[in-house]
Amino acid sequence: MESPRIIAGVARIVRDVGIAEELAQDALVAALEQWPEDGVPDNPGAWLMATAKHRAIDLVRRRERYARKLAEMGRDLETSGPRSHLDEPADPDDIDDDLLRLVFTACHPVLSAEARIALTLRLLGGLTTVEIARAFLTPEKTLAQRIVRAKRTLAAKGVPFEVPYGPEREARLGSVLEVIYLIFNEGYAATAGDDWLRPALCEDALRLARVLAELMPKEPEVHGLAALLELQASRSAARTGPAGEPVLLKDQSRARWNRVLVRRGFAALGRAEAVSSGGGPGPYVLQAAIAACHAHALTYAETDWGRIVTLYGMLAVRAPSPVVELNRAVAVSMAEGPGAALALVDALVGEPALRDYHLLPSVRGDLLVRLGRTDEAAREFTRAAGLARNERERTFLLTRAQECGSLR
């Protein structure tokens, strides 16, 4: 629980997340050695933080290349004394500032998306290398090398341990939000493997989003992401059947939606709207608003599909992508009918980005079923199953293809 904060606090001193992680582990080992004899201190977190920082100071002193950093912190060291923090609670504001710096460092654009995800889960999520490798179906050795390379890259590139401001902050914040969103999505609908849901990944992403919202209360997109994840996570229990098979939104029992998470999502969306300035809502706020439309509806039939179409249109302007257009087509099918939506989907068939995207033929198959063109629909569902890498989803799509045959 304390690990991310300790790493963040030490990284501010040594300016190297790899070394900071090692020093944090050293502090935990020291606690295991000393606490059984001396007793657990009144404030264990402050003890661990102080111990790790003192070890960092010792390291800085021993290394000539850190002479400048030692000089910068010299005055603070002289006034506070080498062990004065051991019995004092750490300053929550300082910890939060350090934690925010760690978030931006782990998600720096100089790293690949895969490296950012792995490093974020390692440093901030507290997951072991084995757990991260298992979650993303990556060999442990490969994942470990990815994390090591990420740390080395940050050090080699001289990435500053800081929260950027101005245009750079806006650009970097997008990277931070993207990483958290990708982690959640992999848990919400696993790309591959035997399970369609991976709740632990959803929980890790949701916790990171909540922490970020507390650290950056004036950023509407941060609250927008938190709202989106709260609302999406509220449906988790209803998204699978007894055997773990996927359950479509229209078939879900809304009584199984988590109303506590729904209320949290509404509250976060309200905060996003309250701190929004000119320029209109951002992509995460818009997606949260779409999720809120579903959460407000007591039944699938009562969903305000017209508003969802409008919101997707706004999202297509703010964050244009073929996937957004595909989702907009689904909303159009509910608001205006499957015929109008099929024309939109057919216009996306030639998109290179959707060439191997299994949801394109899946959506097309669903529209064809509603139009009574079951033979064509069966072919689309079969093609979608061939592209799907998740076993649960593949089985589900093949079942839909077989059901089309029974409708002839």
Side-chain angles (χ1 to χ4, degrees):
M1 290 173 61
E2 296 291 337
S3 181
R5 294 176 179 270
I6 298 170
I7 294 172
V10 174
R12 179 162 56 88
I13 297 173
V14 299
R15 306 288 176 176
D16 186 310
V17 293
I19 294 175
E21 186 179 17
E22 293 174 6
L23 292 171
Q25 291 171 354
D26 288 346
L28 294 171
V29 171
L32 290 173
E33 294 173 345
Q34 297 182 36
W35 291 359
E37 294 184 6
D38 302 338
V40 179
D42 293 335
N43 192 324
W47 191 101
L48 290 166
M49 178 71 79
T51 299
K53 284 187 174 181
H54 291 317
R55 289 174 184 249
I57 291 169
D58 290 341
L59 178 64
V60 171
R61 282 173 169 163
R62 289 196 303 268
R63 296 188 176 186
E64 290 184 1
R65 63 191 180 94
Y66 284 133
R68 181 177 299 177
K69 297 182 180 67
L70 179 61
E72 291 175 356
M73 58 182 234
R75 286 190 298 274
D76 290 338
L77 183 62
E78 291 298 326
T79 56
S80 63
R83 298 187 63 81
S84 63
H85 291 301
L86 287 177
D87 300 319
E88 296 177 5
D91 187 335
D93 291 333
D94 288 344
I95 291 175
D96 286 350
D97 287 345
D98 289 341
L99 192 58
L100 190 56
R101 292 186 186 98
L102 184 60
V103 170
F104 275 89
T105 301
C107 297
H108 196 283
V110 74
L111 303 176
S112 67
E114 293 82 4
R116 288 179 230 160
I117 290 172
L119 193 59
T120 300
L121 286 175
R122 182 73 184 91
L123 298 180
L124 294 156
L127 274 68
T128 65
T129 302
V130 174
E131 290 170 331
I132 302 171
R134 186 187 304 124
F136 286 93
L137 303 179
T138 303
E140 182 182 347
K141 183 177 179 181
T142 301
L143 198 283
Q145 291 174 342
R146 185 176 295 165
I147 293 175
V148 170
R149 283 197 299 268
K151 295 175 183 176
R152 288 175 178 170
T153 298
L154 292 175
K157 297 289 186 181
V159 173
F161 187 69
E162 64 182 12
V163 177
Y165 293 92
E168 184 183 357
R169 174 169 177 168
E170 185 176 347
R172 291 267 296 278
L173 179 59
S175 175
V176 172
L177 299 180
E178 178 187 26
V179 166
I180 297 175
Y181 189 44
L182 288 173
I183 293 170
F184 181 87
N185 279 346
E186 185 58 31
Y188 194 70
T191 304
D194 297 328
D195 297 318
W196 197 41
L197 297 181
R198 291 180 181 156
L201 282 180
C202 290
E203 291 167 5
D204 285 324
L206 188 52
R207 183 176 62 81
L208 290 172
R210 289 169 178 169
V211 168
L212 194 62
E214 291 181 2
L215 297 177
M216 306 182 72
K218 296 182 180 179
E219 293 287 347
E221 278 290 82
V222 172
H223 292 300
L225 177 65
L228 174 62
L229 301 196
E230 299 279 8
L231 292 168
Q232 295 288 76
S234 72
R235 308 178 201 162
S236 294
R239 295 186 69 244
T240 54
E245 72 278 10
V247 177
L248 296 176
L249 179 62
K250 66 183 180 65
D251 299 322
Q252 291 175 15
S253 169
R254 302 199 173 203
R256 300 189 66 196
W257 287 11
N258 188 318
R259 304 315 298 183
V260 172
L261 293 182
V262 169
R263 288 194 293 271
R264 289 182 66 104
F266 288 161
L269 183 57
R271 287 191 289 270
E273 293 169 345
V275 299
S276 294
S277 55
Y284 291 109
V285 174
L286 287 170
Q287 290 179 80
I290 292 169
C293 287
H294 292 295
H296 277 298
L298 297 179
T299 66
Y300 187 75
E302 294 177 24
T303 305
D304 189 349
W305 292 106
R307 174 163 171 73
I308 292 178
V309 170
T310 299
L311 290 169
Y312 268 122
M314 296 169 65
L315 182 60
V317 173
R318 293 301 302 268
S321 82
V323 173
V324 170
E325 291 298 335
L326 183 62
N327 289 332
R328 186 170 74 89
V330 173
V332 168
S333 77
M334 299 305 300
E336 303 175 19
L342 184 60
L344 297 176
V345 172
D346 286 345
L348 297 172
V349 170
E351 283 285 346
L354 299 182
R355 183 180 59 185
D356 298 322
Y357 190 54
H358 68 285
L359 292 182
L360 176 61
S362 175
V363 169
R364 195 168 188 276
D366 185 69
L367 296 176
L368 290 169
V369 166
R370 292 166 59 188
L371 290 169
R373 296 158 60 177
T374 54
D375 287 344
E376 296 174 74
R379 289 193 292 271
E380 289 296 304
F381 286 131
T382 301
R383 179 169 175 267
L387 294 172
R389 294 167 54 197
N390 183 280
E391 289 299 325
R392 297 286 186 181
E393 200 164 16
R394 182 183 294 118
T395 301
F396 176 77
L397 290 166
L398 288 175
T399 299
R400 294 210 67 187
Q402 294 171 357
E403 290 172 347
C404 288
S406 66
L407 295 175
R408 293 173 187 169

